[in-house]
Amino acid sequence: MKSKLLDSFPPKLKKQLQIIGTNLKVARKKRKFSINEMARRARVSYDTISRAEKGDPSVSFGVYAQILSILGLSKDLDLIATPETDELGSILMEQ
């Protein structure tokens, strides 16, 4: 089922989520994990993994984090919203 939330997202954000999903799918396949195996390891349904791999924003952030951890990519979480890369935040603090 297509997420209604995804329909309301700006096109750029929608594309970013789809790229993340594709990247997760590629990483899973490189490790030769089936969707069923990934779902079992993440303790979620087949459908949830499938939706995450499509970039569905209704899948919880926790599930995305769990998938990254299973794939050995949880270090990538450290790159999200870092103060060092928050250009807008830095500009606003200077004002």
Side-chain angles (χ1 to χ4, degrees):
M1 177 189 294
K2 189 173 179 185
S3 168
K4 292 178 185 176
L5 182 60
L6 185 58
D7 290 338
S8 69
F9 275 38
K12 182 178 179 180
L13 183 56
K14 195 183 300 189
K15 184 66 176 168
Q16 287 173 307
L17 289 170
Q18 290 168 344
I19 289 169
I20 290 168
T22 298
N23 291 347
L24 293 175
K25 183 176 186 176
V26 168
R28 174 182 58 78
K29 287 184 170 189
K30 282 182 175 181
R31 287 153 181 80
K32 301 188 186 331
F33 292 160
S34 68
I35 293 180
N36 282 324
E37 174 66 11
M38 182 62 71
R40 185 188 66 75
R41 289 176 181 231
R43 296 187 174 145
V44 298
S45 70
Y46 178 103
D47 184 55
T48 298
I49 298 298
S50 180
R51 289 183 7 247
E53 290 183 352
K54 291 179 177 129
D56 185 335
S58 69
V59 174
S60 77
F61 183 79
V63 170
Y64 281 104
Q66 179 73 342
I67 291 169
L68 287 167
S69 177
I70 292 164
L71 295 171
L73 299 171
S74 61
K75 68 180 181 337
D76 292 352
L77 291 169
D78 296 334
L79 304 174
I80 297 173
T82 61
E84 299 81 21
T85 61
D86 182 7
E87 294 175 17
L88 177 58
S90 296
I91 291 168
L92 293 172
M93 282 195 61
E94 292 174 6
Q95 292 179 350

